[in-house]
Amino acid sequence: MGMRRRVGGFVLLVNPILCDGFGHCAELAPDLVHVDEWGYPVIVTEPVPLANLAALESARYAVRGCPRQALRIERVSDPH
Amino acid sequence: MIALTSPYLWYTTRATGLVTMVLFTLVVSLGTLVANRVGGTTVGRFELNELHRTIASVAIVFLAIHIITTVADSFVATGPLAVVVPFVSPYKRLPVALGAIALDLMVAVWVSSLLKARVANASWRFIHWFSWLAYAIAIVHALLTGTDARHGVGLVIVLACLATVAGAAAWRFVARPTRAAGRTALSPLGVEPEPRGVQRDRAPTRPAPGPAVESSARDATPFPRRPQPRRHR
């Protein structure tokens, strides 16, 4: 998978002030985002390894697809 | 200046004008569907949003062809400045001016959407409201300028587009969705929240001797802290 080993992980973060509960993120990244009873996202909080390309791609789709621009991806360094 | 006297530029202008109008009708209607939280069961909400964005890109291409062929054609004298500046066209001053105003508004909406990640969301939304105005002005432009839009099939298409967007506007502004107005079908719970009208129904029919304060205080909580247990299975 490329020259450089992908180290560290990422978390998908939601800005709850901007979020209006459109629910697009849960459709685009179903492995990372669940929707609570009122339509707001509940996102997996523990970092996902960057090597998980499918998860990273779905997170990028969710960021791009959010009608309120309420999502962002934050990198976290490898804890070890 | 090359004498572009071929009639095909003029035909292209007229045809792309109609196609642009139909495409922007679709764009505005799809935007209304997204804003009103349609989808989630048979069609994904994100899919409607993607259609809204993609058809908008196609519509902008057709709009560009419509404008370029109008300016390049020598059959009518408009001039390149009349594309963006209102009231400078020798040909049909007011109708072409309306087209220029609509174009300026559409460019504002388009550029703000391209820069969506860098623009504050409140600003983006404020600019996006002007798409309604742009559409309305563009329809008047079509009716006043359109060679084909005043009779026959062309008029039918214009009126159908106008009726579609008028309906979408009415639906958007009457049925304003509240924040998070509805879970998608993908919600893991899929449980209807406790109906709010319970207290109103119960109070007159059953004058309960129990402590009324406790029940009313419980019913007055804005929303339950945890999902209520399902009664009907």
Side-chain angles (χ1 to χ4, degrees):
Chain A
M1 197 55 65
M3 311 269 213
R4 200 156 53 86
R5 204 170 71 87
R6 289 175 167 269
V7 289
F10 73 92
V11 282
L12 187 63
L13 297 173
V14 61
N15 180 340
I17 307 294
L18 289 176
C19 178
D20 259 348
F22 277 76
H24 294 200
C25 51
E27 295 178 342
L28 287 162
D31 292 339
L32 300 174
V33 184
H34 297 284
V35 171
D36 73 4
E37 202 191 344
W38 299 278
Y40 288 96
V42 178
I43 303 182
V44 171
T45 48
E46 65 185 58
V48 181
L50 282 168
N52 188 344
L53 291 177
L56 185 59
E57 191 182 24
S58 70
R60 283 181 179 147
Y61 276 125
V63 169
R64 188 184 162 279
C66 177
R68 288 284 177 266
Q69 297 285 306
L71 292 167
R72 68 176 198 278
I73 293 172
E74 196 149 286
R75 281 179 176 238
V76 290
S77 56
D78 208 349
H80 305 297
Chain B
M1 183 87 188
I2 313 156
L4 293 161
T5 49
S6 141
Y8 298 108
L9 281 176
W10 181 238
Y11 296 159
T12 310
T13 294
R14 286 158 59 177
T16 50
L18 270 176
V19 172
T20 306
M21 182 183 64
V22 172
L23 287 175
F24 272 116
T25 302
L26 287 174
V27 170
V28 173
S29 307
L30 282 165
T32 307
L33 293 183
V34 173
N36 279 358
R37 268 81 156 170
V38 172
T41 47
T42 51
V43 63
R45 294 179 178 184
F46 80 95
E47 290 175 310
L48 295 175
N49 198 20
E50 282 300 312
L51 267 182
H52 170 69
R53 294 175 178 182
T54 313
I55 296 178
S57 312
V58 179
I60 286 164
V61 171
F62 273 88
L63 181 58
I65 299 171
H66 173 67
I67 291 164
I68 290 167
T69 51
T70 307
V71 173
D73 188 23
S74 55
F75 182 64
V76 291
T78 45
L81 196 61
V83 171
V84 286
V85 183
F87 301 108
V88 297
S89 164
Y91 167 76
K92 291 199 177 180
R93 178 155 300 196
L94 176 66
V96 174
L98 291 177
I101 296 169
L103 174 72
D104 293 343
L105 290 173
M106 285 174 190
V107 167
V109 171
W110 180 42
V111 171
S112 73
S113 289
L114 287 179
L115 299 174
K116 203 178 173 191
R118 302 192 172 269
V119 176
N121 196 263
S123 314
W124 175 83
R125 289 190 72 187
F126 177 74
I127 297 169
H128 228 70
W129 285 118
F130 282 91
S131 48
W132 293 104
L133 184 61
Y135 188 91
I137 294 173
I139 282 285
V140 178
H141 162 82
L143 284 169
L144 292 180
T145 328
T147 313
D148 312 294
R150 273 169 291 186
H151 46 76
V153 181
L155 182 63
V156 171
I157 295 175
V158 174
L159 291 180
C161 289
L162 185 56
T164 305
V165 171
W171 185 36
R172 177 79 180 93
F173 293 105
V174 170
R176 301 184 70 125
T178 52
R179 285 172 69 91
R183 305 152 293 287
T184 62
L186 309 169
S187 165
L189 289 171
V191 184
E192 285 297 318
E194 193 78 0
R196 304 294 286 282
V198 169
Q199 188 192 1
R200 230 180 319 147
D201 296 345
R202 192 163 28 187
T205 53
R206 195 167 55 138
V213 181
E214 186 192 303
S215 82
S216 72
R218 189 187 61 220
D219 288 343
T221 41
F223 46 80
R225 282 291 161 205
R226 65 182 64 173
Q228 298 289 303
R230 262 198 281 192
R231 299 217 184 85
H232 315 291
R233 234 167 233 274

